[in-house]
Amino acid sequence: MLNIRRDICGYCGACVSVCPEGALELVDAFLTVDTACINCGICEKVCPLGALEVVKE
Amino acid sequence: MKRQYDMLVIGGGPGGALAAKTAADKGLSVCLVEKRPAIGVPVRCAEGIGKELLTDFIPPDPKWIATEIERAELVAPDDFSMLLEPKMAGSEVGYVLDRKVFDRELVWKAAEAGAETYVKARATAPIMRNGAVAGAVIEQHGKTYEVNAKITIAADGIESKFAKWAGIDTTVPLREIETCAQYLMTGIDIDAQMTSFYLGNEVAPAGYVWIFPKGKGLANVGIGIGGGKSGAGHRAKDYLDRFVARKFPNGKSIELIVGGVSVCKPLSCTVADNMLIVGDAARISDPITGGGIYNALYTGRLAAETAIAALEKGDTRKAALMPYDTTWRSSPMGKALERNYAVKEVFVGLSDEKLNAIVHSISKINLEEFSTLTLITELIKANPSLLLELKHLKAFL
Ligand SMILES: Cc1cc2nc3c(=O)[nH]c(=O)nc-3n(C[C@H](O)[C@H](O)[C@H](O)COP(=O)(O)OP(=O)(O)OC[C@H]3O[C@@H](n4cnc5c(N)ncnc54)[C@H](O)[C@@H]3O)c2cc1C
Ligand code: SF4
Ligand code: SF4
């Protein structure tokens, strides 16, 4: 599962552009993730602020 | 919002604004949708642009020019600095803009030309008819609209999803995105007419730190690092904080900006039936500098011109829109993208020792023309060994 820390996110869209599954979407000033996410962790790496974490279920 | 337009533009950045203005000027019915509540905000840019690049589109206006730039410096990992000045000292070579005002001005010009503009209006899916884009589903203020269009322009920037939804892979490879953070800083001791670029694997791995002045003691101080170098504890913001603590310990931050810039190859094709992709959405930022304002303005206008011609002939299928793709690829911008991609691939692999040696080779260059091409040519003259590593580039130089 991908945890989005909205308190940290600066809604820049960098993560959206690297997600291979198109699972992330920036809705104005908040980021959403949908069920297409495969927990690959690419977005977690790219975020300039560290707002994303893949949580092991 | 109407049900039908000649042209629907997704995104109110420089690319979308120029497309909408160009089409509206020719009398087309145009709808531009921007998902954010205010055009250009929050900013995702260091705001630097070459002087001659801008004047091609809009006469310079003090309203959105923060500073005029007269020179630049390239700082090596060991802090040695190379000064870059135009042949005619004292003449300005570039601007640092106020993108908030600049972007709004461009959309305002599109509106004045007759385009309808909608903010906080987000495209959530393309309308597909017989496998071709025929408009988009737009959500605004809790309502959903089906907006049909003969031509749709995807100008949705780095986080572009529209072309992806229509079946084109726009994913940026992790190692080919620059992940960026920037402070607008005040109370710092800088040369207000000079931009600075800091290189080095300690300072900014696979990227650089920039200082772009916006006035006396005021500047965008930012960093981009390669996506492959980013991770917990060593993100763009971590590197930036370290740089700022060393360089401007008494500076104050009055704005935080984050963003991503693609430094990959452009999309392999930037048109589809009834659709053209422009600006960052087409992955056409400069692979060396990360600059994309000009590229967005240029492709936005060119896409609209191509669309106008296609609409006049009544054929907006992919083949009829291909002139857009082939024209920008063979333009000076397209050629620069190709060359700078190859140069970037070499530069991201250089060690700090090598970078030091390159910057030390010249302490001052008077550039005939302020461009990455003339800079690279000068660097190669002073470092003939570079030519070996760049030999596959001979054709470009
Ligand atoms: C940190 C940083 C520094 C930079 N520095 C420079 C620089 O100094 N010089 C330079 O030339 N370039 C710079 N760039 C690049 C430059 O900012 C971009 O290339 C430029 O903004 C691209 O313009 P655009 O119109 O293609 O996209 P954008 O300006 O990103 O506009 C796209 C718009 O589309 C909207 N949108 C997205 N999806 C939807 C949707 N589904 N529905 C409706 N609207 C949508 C977005 O909200 C956005 O407003 C920098 C970028 C970053 C991140
Ligand atoms: S990259 Fe980070 S800051 Fe940017 S939108 Fe994604 S989560 Fe937010
Ligand atoms: S973890 Fe991978 S699939 Fe999931 S949102 Fe991030 S990049 Fe996309």
Side-chain angles (χ1 to χ4, degrees), chain B residues 69-76 79-86 93 189-199 208-213 243 247-248 359 362-365 367 370 375:
Chain B
I69 298 302
E70 296 179 357
R71 56 192 163 271
E73 66 168 346
L74 208 57
V75 184
D79 265 349
F80 180 88
S81 138
M82 173 198 289
L83 184 66
L84 309 169
E85 267 195 313
V93 291
D189 185 19
I190 48 158
D191 174 344
Q193 263 62 57
M194 179 174 78
T195 52
S196 304
F197 301 83
Y198 288 75
L199 307 174
Y208 64 88
V209 166
W210 63 82
I211 303 173
F212 287 6
F243 179 84
K247 203 79 189 161
F248 304 120
V359 179
I362 326 174
S363 61
K364 183 174 169 184
I365 316 182
L367 289 177
F370 235 73
L375 173 60

Side-chain angles (χ1 to χ4, degrees), chain A residues 10-14 16-20 22 24-28 42 44-50, chain B residues 35 37 42 44 120 122 158-159 161 164-165 171-172 174 177 179-180 230-231 235 237 258-260:
Chain A
Y11 30 93
C12 70
V16 179
S17 72
V18 294
C19 173
L24 295 166
E25 166 83 347
L26 202 51
V27 182
D28 181 9
I42 292 177
E44 181 184 22
K45 287 202 189 76
V46 87
C47 176
L49 298 177
Chain B
K35 71 181 173 186
R44 297 173 188 156
K120 215 161 162 52
R122 184 170 65 99
I158 188 70
E159 83 257 40
K161 291 280 286 284
K164 197 175 243 180
W165 291 329
T171 311
V172 179
L174 177 64
I177 187 160
T179 152
C180 307
S230 169
R235 300 182 185 280
K237 182 174 175 294
V258 280

